[in-house]
Amino acid sequence: MWVKRVKTPFFDRSGRDRTSPHYVVRSAKLCALCIVATLCCASGAFFVPNTALIPLLLINAALLGHGRYLGGRVRGLLLLFATQLLITSMLYLLLHGVERLHEGGLAVTRIMLAIIPGWWLSIVCTPQRIGEVLSWCLPRKWAFVMAASFSLLPYMAKETREIYQMQVMRGANITAKALCYPKHWPELIYCVLYPLLIQLLKLSKQMALAAKLRGFGSHKRPTHWPD
């Protein structure tokens, strides 16, 4: 079998410790196949004609279902899709009118079809397996950076949610109702995106320092953490 069942701690809203099953790819070769499939699906979202979008939609729906079954959260993807669709539709209405509104929806759909495979890959493959596969064709430092970026996705999603909730509690006009008005968009950038960028830069510096203290880069063939 190429999947492994792992018990990881999970805390519900009441604070009780529960376990949720997660399945991760154990083999580096199968992880490489997942990466290739992800690249094909993500690039196909931009290059396939409109007539071939229906099969691609079915494939991404299967990836969504599989990722949700393994414990992935679909709520963030749905929120991203709704936000992009709202902003893009308003821009198309202002610039082109109702006649080309369907083109905005199609553009947002293609963007989401490019995002879903990467989301699925971050669930089924661990960062150390991704880094091991990327080190086959990339310099080890580049492979480390890309694998670390995948591992940061859940953390950054949590940080974004916490920053957003704190800013709403402080009275910022960044609720879903307030963001329907373009005059509140700069406040979203100032209250959420700027603090998130600062947090990301701080975390990147900490990771670089940790890698340096552990002697990363001192060996030509670094080892990878086993599952």
Side-chain angles (χ1 to χ4, degrees):
M1 296 294 293
W2 61 279
V3 295
K4 178 182 178 182
R5 185 170 183 171
V6 182
K7 292 290 185 178
T8 56
F10 173 77
F11 298 91
D12 58 11
R13 294 183 178 179
S14 61
R16 292 175 295 179
D17 186 4
R18 296 182 178 180
T19 55
S20 177
H22 289 265
Y23 297 81
V24 296
V25 174
R26 297 176 58 187
S27 172
K29 294 181 179 179
L30 289 172
C31 181
L33 292 177
C34 292
I35 293 176
V36 172
T38 299
L39 292 175
C40 291
C41 292
S43 59
F46 296 106
F47 296 111
V48 299
N50 295 336
T51 55
L53 280 181
I54 295 180
L56 196 59
L57 282 170
L58 296 177
I59 294 174
N60 280 267
L63 295 181
L64 274 176
H66 186 229
R68 182 66 184 87
Y69 174 74
L70 299 183
R73 296 185 177 182
V74 188
R75 182 180 177 182
L77 292 175
L78 295 178
L79 181 61
L80 177 63
F81 176 75
T83 304
Q84 286 187 338
L85 184 61
L86 176 62
I87 297 175
T88 307
S89 299
M90 294 181 63
L91 291 176
Y92 266 78
L93 282 174
L94 293 174
L95 298 177
H96 305 291
V98 186
E99 296 79 10
R100 300 181 60 181
L101 186 61
H102 66 282
E103 296 182 6
L106 184 61
V108 174
T109 302
R110 287 182 178 272
I111 293 174
M112 292 304 302
L113 291 179
I115 293 176
I116 291 174
W119 171 83
W120 172 80
L121 180 66
S122 65
I123 296 174
V124 299
C125 297
T126 57
Q128 60 265 23
R129 292 285 76 77
I130 296 176
E132 182 180 359
V133 173
L134 293 177
S135 63
W136 295 349
C137 55
L138 294 175
R140 58 182 182 274
K141 292 184 179 180
W142 292 10
F144 171 76
V145 170
M146 296 183 67
S149 300
F150 270 100
S151 65
L152 285 178
L153 290 178
Y155 175 79
M156 296 310 300
K158 180 181 177 182
E159 285 292 314
T160 305
R161 184 167 57 254
E162 291 180 353
I163 293 174
Y164 175 81
Q165 292 174 353
M166 287 188 294
Q167 296 290 2
V168 170
M169 293 176 63
R170 292 180 59 187
N173 294 320
I174 55 174
T175 60
K177 184 178 180 179
L179 291 178
C180 294
Y181 303 95
K183 65 179 181 179
H184 295 149
W185 294 354
E187 192 169 356
L188 176 66
I189 298 175
Y190 179 78
C191 294
V192 178
L193 296 185
Y194 281 173
L196 182 64
L197 179 60
I198 294 173
Q199 186 70 12
L200 181 59
L201 292 175
K202 180 180 177 181
L203 183 61
S204 301
K205 184 177 180 180
Q206 292 175 350
M207 292 182 63
L209 179 61
K212 182 179 179 180
L213 293 177
R214 284 168 173 80
F216 181 79
S218 58
H219 300 280
K220 294 183 179 181
R221 299 186 63 182
T223 57
H224 299 273
W225 190 268
D227 291 326

